[in-house]
Amino acid sequence: MSDRLSVFKTYKLYVGGKFPRSESGRVYEVTDAKGKWLANAPLSSRKDARDAVVAARKAFGAWSGATAYNRGQVLYRVAEMLEGRKSQFVHEVADAEGLSKSKAAAQVEATIDRWVWYAGWTDKIAQVVGGGNPVAGPYFNLSSPEPTGVVAVLAPQESSFLGLVSVVAPVIATGNTAVVVASERAPLPALSLAEVLATSDVPGGVVNVLSGRTAEIATPLAAHQDVNAIDLAGADDVLAKELEIAAADNLKRVLRPQPVDDWSATPGIDRMTAFLETKTVWHPTGSLGASGSSY
Amino acid sequence: MSTAAPHALADVTASDSTLRRFLHGLPGVDAVGLEARAASLGTRSIKTTAKAYAIDLAISMVDLTTLEGADTPGKVRALGAKAVHPDPIDRTTPATAAVCVYPDMVATAKAAVAGSSVKVASVATAFPAGRAPLSVKLADVREAIAAGADEIDMVIDRGAFLAGHYLKVHEEIVAVKEACGAARLKVIFETGELSTYDNIRRASWLGMLAGADFIKTSTGKVAVNATPANTLLMLEAVRDFRAQTGVQVGVKPAGGIRTTKDAIKFLVLVNETAGEDWLDNHWFRFGASSLLNDLLMQRQKLATGRYSGPDYVTVD
């Protein structure tokens, strides 16, 4: 046995591109599937949620205004960084979900592939759900998908990494910014993902990660007047109902929890379109030319 | 309010040398102690009903300000409407103390707040630099008063002050005060340009000796504006001035106060330094524009229990 003291990692929140502790100063014990202590994670309060929303709102303008191509490049870069830290995630996922090394490795690889999949969609979704509409008149009529704004995402409780990325990536791929509430029991992969995001090219505030009691953090987020949408993937039926009621007050878009048996199945585009709004504009071709021609 | 120096200190303004002797005879400022005191008072936790009281008090103390080259009559009217009813969906919200505009906008602002308690303050005397002949400055003040300004925010001649021509600064303030007539005079020192805390203390006393109704930190146009430390220093000055002469002078920090948290810190400073007599918009003001929106969002949060957002206040 070596007489070296191992250095334990202090897991922290990720808000506005920085790694703060919880405003409340609280932490809670995170254990593996068998109940063995793994680490202490921050136990976020409603004020951490408030700060995260401010950060996400601040980041929204630049992120939604970036070109779709640029967002795709940035997200692809995240996948590159994930690849480089694969062994760490395999370790964390194996601990969190009680999987063997090989099954955990398969999960992590599926997660990275999922990220790449969504990175590819950034500049293609507009062709699929938007486009030119036929009209009878001297106009163009164009529909384009626009991001909804700040989206609160309650990550799935069971699938700590693949499930997490499957709900976060579609939100930010389309130009929204996210406040993510990590799985309550297994938050460590989410907090490590934040470190990956911080070292890739994702601007600070685009993704904010909070760990703690899902109900405690989600309640103020659902009622928050400056949150535009909420994904209830990580809420149980009772909590989901409460949150949906709170969210109705400012007409938030709500994505109800949907049972997912297998997160590794091809997800389709539903999670992206759930947080897109269609903007339709009439654009006169105009009869401005001296000859009477539009051009 | 008298325009001449108060009786107890009447003789110190007799000549440049007596004034200098008096101002340089003021005790030096312990900079470390001052900043530590301001910081420690900033750690007070103000919650629930005390917070609700503080927010309403702070709203009633705001001098809602627009001092841009791009100010239009429409913008000033919108500002006036907001000053009268800061939160149109909650009429229990108090009105702000005043709107603060450039002299050429006074008439517009006056019409916009007509019939309410909101006063119209005007910056004058070649704001913000103050680099103009005295005759021009006085004309600036008279125009603003003629247009209906209730309060005048003047800037001191920092060049003269820093060069040690205290009597010149004093005489200028006295002349402007005379031109103000019944209007209250706020004297801006531009603390960010005075370099030292000693200078801020001297400027505060100089302004009060010359008959200022308010002493104000800054124009909001330079890098360093109101800080808790320099405001604390000025609050100590008005407290000591009243103790010596019986004359109460107001304080107005301006520039850089953007959040409710900051505003409440300033209110704690007022209460702990000058005392409750100053916790009133007749004696303490905030020169601010974006602060009001944050105060309103916090007020909505307290009323509803939900966090509010910038969609629920005006874009100024």
Side-chain angles (χ1 to χ4, degrees), chain A residues 46-47 223-226 249-250, chain B residues 47 306-310 312:
Chain A
R46 62 188 165 86
K47 292 195 177 176
H224 200 305
Q225 302 289 287
D226 202 28
D249 203 58
N250 75 334
Chain B
K47 299 288 181 206
R306 308 177 301 243
Y307 288 115
S308 185
Y312 301 87

Side-chain angles (χ1 to χ4, degrees), chain B residues 139-152:
Chain B
D140 203 8
V141 173
R142 287 193 197 103
E143 291 280 331
I145 296 288
D150 304 301
E151 300 172 352
I152 295 292

Side-chain angles (χ1 to χ4, degrees), chain B residues 26-310:
Chain B
L26 291 168
V29 178
D30 168 9
V32 175
L34 178 74
E35 282 166 13
R37 172 85 177 141
S40 77
L41 288 176
T43 61
R44 293 278 174 87
S45 176
I46 310 290
K47 299 288 181 206
T48 62
T49 50
K51 186 174 182 185
Y53 174 77
I55 287 174
D56 278 6
L57 183 62
I59 291 174
S60 77
M61 287 174 165
V62 168
D63 275 7
L64 196 57
T65 303
T66 182
L67 296 170
E68 303 294 335
D71 286 347
T72 58
K75 189 178 175 195
V76 171
R77 277 194 293 271
L79 197 79
K82 186 170 183 180
V84 177
H85 293 298
D87 190 346
I89 49 178
D90 183 355
R91 293 291 172 116
T92 62
T93 314
T96 66
V99 288
C100 183
V101 294
Y102 272 117
D104 61 332
M105 288 294 173
V106 168
T108 312
K110 193 75 188 166
V113 301
S116 73
S117 63
V118 178
K119 299 201 163 41
V120 175
S122 172
V123 295
T125 71
F127 180 94
R131 297 252 70 86
L134 182 58
S135 57
V136 175
K137 293 182 181 178
L138 291 176
D140 203 8
V141 173
R142 287 193 197 103
E143 291 280 331
I145 296 288
D150 304 301
E151 300 172 352
I152 295 292
D153 289 31
M154 73 168 287
V155 288
I156 64 162
D157 182 345
R158 278 89 76 192
F161 181 89
L162 291 170
H165 303 304
Y166 298 130
L167 196 62
K168 178 163 184 268
V169 180
H170 179 268
E171 283 165 354
E172 213 170 88
I173 299 172
V174 170
V176 171
K177 173 74 191 167
E178 203 179 304
C180 281
R184 295 181 87 202
L185 175 65
K186 307 192 194 106
V187 179
I188 305 171
F189 301 133
E190 197 65 295
T191 50
E193 291 182 352
L194 295 186
S195 310
T196 66
Y197 287 129
D198 286 349
N199 274 342
I200 296 173
R201 176 169 284 174
R202 284 172 198 144
S204 301
W205 281 86
L206 179 59
M208 292 186 291
L209 287 169
D213 297 307
F214 259 93
I215 54 176
K216 174 172 167 185
T217 57
S218 38
T219 59
K221 301 287 184 194
V222 297
V224 181
N225 291 301
T227 64
N230 60 34
T231 306
L232 173 59
L233 185 54
M234 287 163 65
L235 285 164
E236 287 174 351
V238 296
R239 176 197 63 195
D240 295 347
F241 189 76
R242 188 176 74 166
Q244 286 197 29
T245 66
V247 177
Q248 187 165 351
V249 176
V251 177
K252 175 176 171 186
I257 307 167
R258 295 201 174 81
T259 64
T260 301
K261 212 174 221 178
D262 287 345
I264 291 177
K265 281 179 192 175
F266 279 95
L267 292 180
V268 171
L269 289 182
V270 174
N271 190 49
E272 296 298 315
T273 309
E276 271 182 43
D277 291 352
W278 270 266
L279 280 180
D280 182 295
N281 69 7
H282 199 68
W283 298 114
F284 194 78
R285 298 279 181 84
F286 291 107
S289 39
S290 58
L291 169 65
L292 183 57
N293 276 349
D294 197 64
L295 286 166
L296 294 176
M297 286 193 281
Q298 289 294 327
R299 200 174 186 280
Q300 290 165 3
K301 160 74 173 68
L302 277 183
T304 62
R306 308 177 301 243
Y307 288 115
S308 185

